[in-house]
Amino acid sequence: MAKRQPFVLALSSSPRKKGNSDILCDRVIAGAKAAGAKVEKYYLNDMTIKPCVACGACQEKRIGRCVFDDDMRKLYPLLKKCDGLILAGPVYFFTVSAQLKLFLDKLYPLTSENGLKLGAKRAVTCLTYGAPDALLSGCDNAARTLNDIFTFANVPVRFIHASAWQKGEVRQRSGALKRAREAGQELVAG
Ligand SMILES: Cc1cc2nc3c(=O)[nH]c(=O)nc-3n(C[C@H](O)[C@H](O)[C@H](O)COP(=O)(O)O)c2cc1C
């Protein structure tokens, strides 16, 4: 029987298209495609994602989505069916950007007493920051948040990160670019 083509969902959260985290995201995508995956990519900054207001309806009714009619309606089915998940974004004020945090909070409808239920069997995150040192940048806070979420979801995650301030500067970080492509290939490895 023919093997099903793996499906990867990529969410790029920087408002700077073709910026540093988006470039790393595209490298991961290239690796995943080279390994045979079908990839769908979305820019969170282009989507309308209303913040969670703690109404509790998603938990009470176990509907598996937020009651708000926003662009998460498009993402929930993809989050459930994807085999691999890529989250990319810049460090803003020592943690994840608002665009990414809006999305992360809206994972609440996919939680239960058993944790967070995603389709993904593996994940890759790409974080970029302007400070020369990862610790001073606040990247550790962003990585800690994402690591806790993927631990909650029982999904192994690989972190790709690089220091790059100006738009596109990450193209000079050959090590990070190489690791990003490899991570994409690993994302869909059997
Ligand atoms: C509003 C804002 C806040 C930022 N906060 C930080 C920060 O806390 N630490 C840091 O090292 N860089 C910070 N930066 C720099 C970005 O993280 C850096 O330029 C990153 O590579 C941008 O990624 P992008 O090109 O994908 O948008 C900030 C940039 C902006 C615009």
Side-chain angles (χ1 to χ4, degrees), residues 12-24 88-95 97 126-139 162-170:
S12 186
S13 65
S14 175
R16 294 205 291 194
K17 288 181 184 161
K18 304 295 169 204
N20 298 316
S21 56
D22 197 32
I23 289 169
L24 289 181
V91 172
Y92 276 3
F93 275 82
F94 309 100
T95 187
S97 67
C126 303
L127 292 167
T128 60
Y129 42 89
D133 182 274
L135 275 182
L136 293 177
S137 74
C139 178
S163 168
W165 180 266
Q166 299 299 334
K167 185 175 179 180
E169 195 182 327
V170 80

Side-chain angles (χ1 to χ4, degrees), residues 100-113:
L100 185 54
K101 187 65 167 78
L102 276 176
F103 163 78
L104 295 174
D105 286 356
K106 297 292 280 279
L107 294 175
Y108 189 40
L110 304 181
T111 63
S112 68
E113 56 281 355

Side-chain angles (χ1 to χ4, degrees), residues 143-157:
R144 173 69 201 262
T145 296
L146 294 168
N147 190 52
D148 285 353
I149 289 168
F150 285 114
T151 301
F152 191 42
N154 201 21
V155 174
V157 57

